[in-house]
Amino acid sequence: MNYGGIGSVIGHELTHGFDDQGRQFDKDGNLRQWWDDSVIEKFKEKSQCLIDQYSKFYEPVSGLNVNGINTQGENIADNGGVKQSYMAYRKWVEQRGSEEPTLPGLNFTNNQLFFINWAQVWCDNTRKQSFINLITTGVHSPERFRVIGSLQNFQNFADEFGCRKNSVMNPETKCSVW
Ligand SMILES: [Zn+2]
């Protein structure tokens, strides 16, 4: 659960160094193109997938759709972060030599608990005006779409929860920048 929560948040922050803004700065923090043009082209192609995906999310309280362009950097960070932390968790289990015991009283695997805590990080309650403010001026997607968007793209999530192919949480098109 710690890997799913704070671990994914740490992964999120690291990924910012390689999002649409972070990628433009070199290791010394100077604004400098240090990628080949072909790499930048590929990056933009992959980012566009996320832009299209998140732009389709409709937030019913405000009646607005998410702005996939304004939120792309945060979405890149969310998608990369949760994946990195999941890989780190699996690596940790591998080094440990066996799966951890499961939590008593809950009928979840440890991998499922990883994802459940990633989702719980973003539990919130938001008023209409706040949604409007967030969606029209913010760089973060509304919390529920930070969860849905990042996990729709993550095959391990669908596998762990047995999501049917082409269902909402296991779409055929999966976006992946990192
Ligand atoms: Zn961020």
Side-chain angles (χ1 to χ4, degrees), residues 14-35 40 43 178:
L14 290 170
T15 309
H16 271 310
F18 306 91
D19 70 11
D20 58 311
Q21 293 179 35
R23 70 163 185 81
Q24 301 180 57
F25 298 85
D26 67 14
K27 65 178 170 45
D28 299 311
N30 295 316
L31 186 62
R32 186 173 71 83
Q33 185 184 324
W34 60 287
W35 292 1
I40 293 172
F43 176 88
W178 299 112

Side-chain angles (χ1 to χ4, degrees), residues 12-13 16 74 77 140:
H12 168 107
E13 303 306 341
H16 271 310
E74 294 299 331
H140 298 93

